[in-house]
Amino acid sequence: MENKPVDMHVDVLSYAGRWYCLYSIPRFINSHWKHTIETYVIHPDGYYAVFTTYNVVGEKQKKYMRSKLSVVPKSGNSRLKAQFVWPVKIDYWIIELAEGYSYAVVGHPKHKYLIIMARKPEMDASLLNEIIERSKQRGYDTNKLVSLEH
């Protein structure tokens, strides 16, 4: 299975809203995060303002971070660029998306990270296993997946 963004056109309004990050292959920045929730709000300038709340392992106080997510033109809205610190942008590909936008899988062209997100803080175990298997077929090292403990 090829690692590429979804072929469907992603509706930016349907993709907006609250996402529970259930499992991830973390990067350095989020390697100690748990209970991660991302809220995508469409900004008047045409990008998503992303508000992320999370807990750091060993700390009780919730943390907060704001970032930007911009659609790559002519990508069907399935390829985006995430910006946590100006001017650095990283690839953000929607590689799997439920028809009703109940879950999404976000990946990277070079398999650097993977995030399994859902609209609810839990997911059916059989669906999760299917997503993990498809991610493995796309070349992601699913042994590195960690639960974000919702």
Side-chain angles (χ1 to χ4, degrees):
M1 183 175 284
E2 188 178 352
N3 181 41
K4 63 181 184 121
V6 294
D7 290 328
M8 67 185 277
H9 178 81
V10 178
D11 180 75
V12 292
L13 291 175
S14 297
Y15 198 74
R18 177 176 288 195
W19 289 101
Y20 293 87
C21 299
L22 303 178
Y23 288 84
S24 76
I25 296 175
R27 299 287 308 222
F28 176 76
I29 190 173
N30 63 345
S31 62
H32 300 293
W33 294 9
K34 299 293 179 196
H35 312 264
T36 306
I37 300 171
E38 294 184 341
T39 304
Y40 295 67
V41 177
I42 298 174
H43 191 276
D45 289 343
Y47 61 85
Y48 289 109
V50 181
F51 301 93
T52 304
T53 59
Y54 59 95
N55 289 94
V56 174
V57 175
E59 297 181 17
K60 289 188 178 191
Q61 184 177 353
K62 230 182 205 332
K63 304 274 185 168
Y64 161 85
M65 185 175 85
R66 187 175 187 272
S67 59
K68 285 183 176 182
L69 193 58
S70 303
V71 171
V72 173
K74 299 179 183 175
S75 69
N77 304 334
S78 62
R79 285 187 10 213
L80 300 99
K81 294 284 188 177
Q83 184 176 40
F84 299 97
V85 179
W86 187 86
V88 179
K89 294 182 180 182
I90 60 171
D91 290 304
Y92 174 113
W93 283 4
I94 302 170
I95 61 171
E96 195 167 324
L97 182 61
E99 191 173 308
Y101 294 74
S102 60
Y103 77 85
V105 182
V106 174
H108 185 272
K110 295 183 179 175
H111 306 92
K112 291 183 177 180
Y113 63 84
L114 183 75
I115 306 166
I116 300 171
M117 310 187 308
R119 297 296 188 173
K120 297 179 180 178
E122 71 279 328
M123 180 180 280
D124 178 75
S126 62
L127 174 59
L128 177 62
N129 289 333
E130 290 169 12
I131 292 169
I132 291 170
E133 181 56 34
R134 287 190 295 269
S135 298
K136 185 176 182 178
Q137 291 174 14
R138 287 184 177 99
Y140 291 91
D141 184 355
T142 56
N143 292 322
K144 293 182 178 177
L145 273 174
V146 295
S147 170
L148 299 176
E149 300 177 7
H150 280 283

